Amino acid sequence: MTADLLKRARTLADDVLYPAADRVDAEEAFPPGHFEPLAEAGLYGIAAPPEAGGPEELDLAGFARVVEVVASGCLATAFVWLQHHGAVRAAAASERPGIRENWLQPLATGRRRAGLALAGQLPGEPRLRAEAVAGGYRLTGASPFVTGWGLVDTLYAAARDADDRIVWMFLDAAEGDGLSAQPLPLSAVDAARTAELRFDGLYVPEERVTGTLPYADWPARDAQGLRTNGSLSLGLASRCGTLLGIGTGDTDPELDACRRALDMADAEAMAAARADAAALALRRAAAVVVARGASSVLRGRPGQRLLREAGFLQVFGTRAAIKEELLARWMP
């Protein structure tokens, strides 16, 4: 099953996503129907359990490899699509009445497409608060860097309540009473439509809450989720390797070493493995610019796009330990 998924993902990356990537970047928009092939190939359901149409025996390493392949085609596409799987996992794992029954199948098939608004998971003073009221919660605050605004119809959101618990819930991804969006222009992957969301008493009924967790228990779970974001860097490094003639994702020793380090890393080793992947992406993107010469500074050419995207990946999905590891590589 993993081999079949990878084959489908590779075909999409090479034949659909990569040929459109420079146009997506230049126009800062996806062509109509751009995400439909991913849904038709079953790639919106790869985090779903088999009974909901998900693949059999796809472990974290296999999932991460699919993410890597999609990212090798178009980072902006992968950036939007990757967020979706957090909502699928939440629907599949929820023990709340009605969540699994009402949300899992539409999400797993791509009939619903989700983004993430996870301000309640961030360390420090909560940026998004959930006040318990009759029948549900009211949300107040903000969630920065929400990807896919205008491209997704569902948000998987996290807020913090008065007892310092994380409250996860499904929201409609639409402005209205209590919810507004401010677009954030990015240096790369701007077509992914990232925005800061502001909540002013948005009401969320209890039946949309997928679960809760004391915030003190969250850091250990958060560490387990850092692996997958490293695959975005590997995907970009893989595409650069192909352009440089180094090899493909399957015949590239340096890339394979980074992948194995990520797959094998425990919580303590993950920061170094993530930093190595991000550094590899930036070094290779710079090499593409040099190899392609002056044309690489022209908009619409892959060199400048890949370099901007690699710079973006130096800070995307990082934590303090990853930042320290990267700074040690760039400022020895």
Side-chain angles (χ1 to χ4, degrees):
M1 177 58 75
T2 301
D4 179 56
L5 271 176
L6 287 173
K7 181 178 180 181
R8 280 183 270 156
R10 178 68 66 191
T11 298
L12 282 171
D14 290 344
D15 297 348
V16 178
L17 302 183
Y18 182 69
D22 288 329
R23 180 159 59 95
V24 165
D25 178 71
E27 297 179 2
E28 299 176 351
F30 296 103
H34 184 76
F35 291 94
E36 293 301 326
L38 280 81
E40 292 167 0
L43 296 183
Y44 273 93
I46 62 173
E51 63 270 21
E56 299 277 358
E57 300 178 353
L58 185 69
D59 60 9
L60 177 59
F63 176 88
R65 189 67 189 276
V66 177
V67 172
E68 177 186 328
V69 171
V70 174
S72 76
C74 175
L75 184 63
T77 302
F79 195 43
V80 176
W81 165 81
L82 178 58
Q83 317 292 309
H84 175 86
H85 304 295
V88 175
R89 290 192 182 96
S94 180
E95 297 178 353
R96 295 290 182 114
I99 292 292
R100 187 181 175 97
E101 294 81 1
N102 294 328
W103 294 88
L104 179 56
Q105 198 64 31
L107 288 167
T109 58
R111 294 200 307 274
R112 274 190 173 274
R113 297 179 189 175
L116 303 178
L118 302 180
Q121 296 177 186
L122 299 177
E125 187 69 16
R127 304 187 192 187
L128 184 59
R129 292 187 176 275
E131 178 190 1
V133 297
Y137 292 88
R138 288 201 179 276
L139 302 184
T140 304
S143 191
F145 295 103
V146 175
T147 297
W149 191 252
L151 301 170
V152 301
D153 51 60
T154 301
L155 289 178
Y156 178 51
R160 209 98 61 84
D161 70 6
D163 296 321
D164 207 33
R165 297 182 307 168
I166 301 175
V167 182
W168 286 286
M169 62 203 77
F170 287 134
L171 312 177
D172 292 330
E175 290 189 84
D177 290 341
L179 177 59
S180 60
Q182 178 63 47
L184 299 175
L186 303 181
S187 62
V189 300
D190 204 40
R193 297 186 188 176
T194 297
E196 179 177 23
L197 301 188
R198 295 197 170 275
F199 297 82
D200 185 16
L202 179 71
Y203 176 71
V204 182
E206 180 70 30
E207 58 263 27
R208 287 193 169 215
V209 174
T210 67
T212 64
L213 182 77
Y215 182 76
D217 296 340
W218 171 247
R221 287 180 53 175
D222 181 50
Q224 298 172 6
L226 294 177
R227 162 64 184 95
T228 307
N229 287 340
S231 293
L232 297 178
S233 293
L234 295 185
L236 190 145
S238 174
R239 180 58 60 182
C240 291
T242 300
L243 294 175
L244 292 166
I246 293 172
T248 68
D250 298 314
T251 59
D252 185 333
E254 189 177 20
L255 186 72
D256 187 56
C258 276
R259 186 186 302 118
R260 282 187 284 107
L262 283 166
D263 288 340
M264 296 173 62
D266 57 14
E268 186 175 343
M270 184 57 71
R274 279 285 307 275
D276 283 340
L280 177 64
L282 188 54
R283 284 192 289 105
R284 287 195 173 182
V288 169
V289 170
V290 174
R292 298 267 171 133
S295 66
S296 287
V297 303
L298 298 174
R299 289 297 299 258
R301 300 294 178 91
Q304 54 78 35
R305 172 178 59 81
L306 290 166
L307 187 60
R308 285 185 288 108
E309 290 175 349
F312 171 87
L313 290 171
Q314 303 305 294
V315 295
F316 168 69
T318 58
R319 299 294 185 270
I322 302 173
K323 180 179 179 180
E324 290 174 6
E325 290 281 353
L326 275 167
L327 287 174
R329 285 156 179 75
W330 301 127
M331 301 174 63

